[in-house]
């Protein structure tokens, strides 16, 4: 395993463990307001400085990861459930009316601007972690469905599927007992690759005021708030921005490495 992949895995693991820790690992609560500490620069007391109402930026950066991970995990589970179902049906019934309907739905979702679609659904549902999960999840499934469809079409022509059909096994059993276990790995890799994209989308929604509602810490909201203080308190935007970029990059590195390994095995 490459060194960058190891570093990426360690970074994600540590960030996840720290952000979900039941203890105040930073020494400050992320929502603790301290007006005397307003806009304090980075120091041993406030490692990343404090924001415009005296909240510790380091604490908010760490706990901001919790919202990003929760939304990314929930949204990708929804995407996976929809994508794997549509992809399996479309691939197994290739050139059938079921395939044409599924392909039309996939093309419609793929043709509509992704971020605009998510913004529209989020605006309709309102802010909130679970609502953001739903909004991203019901839009972000197309990639998983496309990969699953291609894999199912490929496996449908293999001997074990033809043999199962000759034995008179029902389609449901062939799909979920024979084909799905052989195609699910590639779909899971696409799922992992998409985590970074979901984290970026969540940050964008929070930046636009459609994401995690205050006072819950969110990297996008922190960057938005800090933009008004970029010349006097640069740490308010820079540190959450660094962690956002590092997290997206880490997920992309892990996903790319998994895809390379899967391709070599095939």
């Amino acid at each position: 395993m490459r060194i960058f992949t190891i570093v990426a895995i360690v970074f994600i693991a540590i960030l996840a463990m720290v952000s979900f820790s039941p203890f105040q690992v930073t020494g400050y609560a992320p929502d603790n307001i301290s007006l005397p500490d307003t806009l304090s620069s980075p120091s041993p007391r406030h490692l990343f400085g404090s924001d415009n109402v005296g909240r510790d930026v380091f604490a908010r950066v760490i706990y901001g990861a919790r919202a990003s991970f929760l939304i990314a995990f929930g949204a990708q589970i929804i995407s996976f459930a929809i994508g794997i179902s549509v992809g399996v049906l479309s691939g197994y019934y290739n050139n059938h009316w079921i395939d044409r309907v599924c392909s039309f739905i996939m093309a419609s979702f793929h043709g509509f601007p992704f971020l605009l679609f998510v913004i529209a659904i989020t605006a309709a549902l309102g802010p909130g972690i679970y609502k953001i999960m739903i909004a991203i999840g019901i839009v972000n499934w197309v990639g998983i469905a496309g990969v699953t469809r291609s894999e199912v079409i490929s496996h449908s022509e293999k001997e074990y599927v033809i043999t199962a059909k000759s034995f008179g096994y029902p389609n449901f059993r062939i799909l979920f007992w024979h084909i799905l276990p052989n195609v699910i790995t590639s779909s899971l890799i696409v799922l992992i690759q998409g985590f970074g994209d979901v984290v970026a989308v969540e940050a964008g929604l929070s930046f636009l005021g459609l994401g995690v509602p205050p006072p819950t810490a969110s990297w996008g909201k922190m960057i938005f708030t800090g933009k008004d203080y970029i010349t006097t308190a640069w740490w308010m935007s820079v540190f959450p921005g660094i962690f956002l970029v590092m997290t997206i990059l880490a997920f992309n590195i892990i996903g790319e490495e998994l895809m390379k390994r899967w391709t070599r095995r095939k």
Side-chain angles (χ1 to χ4, degrees):
M1 184 176 291
R2 299 176 181 177
I3 184 64
F4 291 115
T5 308
I6 297 175
V7 172
I9 293 174
V10 171
F11 172 77
I12 293 295
I14 293 176
L15 187 59
M17 287 190 295
V18 171
S19 63
F20 284 99
S21 172
F23 307 103
Q24 292 186 15
V25 294
T26 63
Y28 294 94
D31 302 327
N32 184 33
I33 296 175
S34 178
L35 295 180
D37 293 329
T38 299
L39 299 180
S40 297
S41 59
S43 65
R45 182 179 180 184
H46 295 287
L47 192 60
F48 289 176
S50 61
D51 64 8
N52 56 321
V53 291
R55 294 175 297 192
D56 186 72
V57 174
F58 182 52
R60 292 184 65 77
V61 166
I62 294 300
Y63 288 99
R66 179 181 298 183
S68 296
F69 287 156
L70 279 174
I71 291 172
F73 182 79
Q76 288 298 81
I77 290 299
I78 296 172
S79 297
F80 185 78
I82 300 173
I84 202 79
S85 301
V86 175
V88 165
L89 288 174
S90 180
Y92 188 74
Y93 294 101
N94 188 29
N95 293 325
H96 191 270
W97 68 265
I98 296 177
D99 177 39
R100 289 192 288 271
V101 170
C102 292
S103 297
F104 175 77
I105 295 173
M106 285 190 287
S108 300
F109 272 80
H110 185 73
F112 203 87
F114 173 77
L115 185 58
L116 185 60
F117 205 171
V118 174
I119 290 174
I121 297 175
T122 305
L125 295 176
I129 290 179
Y130 297 106
K131 294 177 181 178
I132 298 172
M133 287 182 189
I134 296 172
I136 298 176
I138 62 178
V139 177
N140 197 37
W141 57 269
V142 180
I144 297 173
V147 171
T148 304
R149 179 181 182 274
S150 299
E151 289 288 317
V152 170
I153 291 175
S154 175
H155 281 266
S156 295
E157 300 173 354
K158 294 187 176 181
E159 292 183 0
Y160 74 91
V161 176
I162 297 174
T163 303
K165 289 180 179 179
S166 67
F167 285 161
Y169 292 158
N171 290 330
F172 180 85
R173 177 173 177 175
I174 296 173
L175 274 174
F176 293 97
W177 283 65
H178 298 277
I179 297 179
L180 186 59
N182 290 290
V183 305
I184 198 169
T185 302
S186 57
S187 302
L188 287 171
I189 292 173
V190 176
L191 177 78
I192 294 172
Q193 286 182 315
F195 270 95
D197 295 333
V198 176
V199 171
V201 171
E202 182 277 323
L205 292 173
S206 296
F207 185 86
L208 296 173
L210 298 172
V212 180
T216 304
S218 168
W219 289 337
K221 190 66 177 179
M222 292 174 69
I223 295 172
F224 175 80
T225 303
K227 69 179 178 57
D228 295 330
Y229 301 89
I230 195 65
T231 57
T232 57
W234 53 267
W235 51 87
M236 287 180 59
S237 290
V238 170
F239 286 118
I242 290 174
F243 271 75
L244 174 62
V245 172
M246 290 175 62
T247 301
I248 295 172
L249 184 61
F251 276 122
N252 289 341
I253 291 173
I254 295 170
E256 183 179 350
E257 182 66 24
L258 289 174
M259 181 58 73
K260 287 180 179 178
R261 288 175 174 270
W262 172 246
T263 304
R264 286 197 296 267
R265 286 186 179 182
K266 292 177 66 177

